[in-house]
Amino acid sequence: MNTGIVLLTILGMIAFYGLIGYFLIGYVARKIWRHSLDRYRIIQILLVLSIVFVIVQAIRYQSWTLALPITGILVPMISMMTTYRRKQAKKHMEEA
């Protein structure tokens, strides 16, 4: 029974902090760069930040069995971000 409560609490914390991060990243982008981000872009930023956090924690605790696969996930994420940026630029060029 306690395991279920702990799992529910952890999932709630992830959802709460994810939601705060989602709105905070959008707010910061509007205030600093005067540029609003779409949902896809904000979620990408959150995923990259969480992956970097896991990498830092793995290096900190010297858990190389976790650091290497997570680093392998980061490379396609960066590639996906650049592809999305190119598609958006192409879309803006076609509209203009």
Side-chain angles (χ1 to χ4, degrees), residues 47-48 51 55 66-79:
L47 284 173
V48 168
I51 288 171
I55 290 172
L66 180 63
L68 293 176
I70 286 291
T71 306
I73 292 173
L74 188 62
V75 172
M77 280 292 296
I78 293 171
S79 172

Side-chain angles (χ1 to χ4, degrees), residues 25-89:
I25 288 173
Y27 178 76
V28 167
R30 280 192 303 273
K31 291 295 178 182
I32 293 178
W33 297 298
R34 310 226 187 275
H35 181 273
S36 66
L37 300 173
D38 58 344
R39 291 181 187 174
Y40 185 71
R41 194 72 114 144
I42 293 173
I43 292 172
Q44 278 183 339
I45 292 169
L46 282 173
L47 284 173
V48 168
L49 287 175
S50 63
I51 288 171
V52 167
F53 176 75
V54 170
I55 290 172
V56 167
Q57 290 294 79
I59 291 172
R60 181 176 163 205
Y61 292 113
Q62 297 179 356
S63 174
W64 307 115
T65 57
L66 180 63
L68 293 176
I70 286 291
T71 306
I73 292 173
L74 188 62
V75 172
M77 280 292 296
I78 293 171
S79 172
M80 187 173 66
M81 289 174 76
T82 56
T83 303
Y84 181 72
R85 190 178 304 135
R86 286 181 190 155
K87 282 184 181 181
Q88 290 298 323

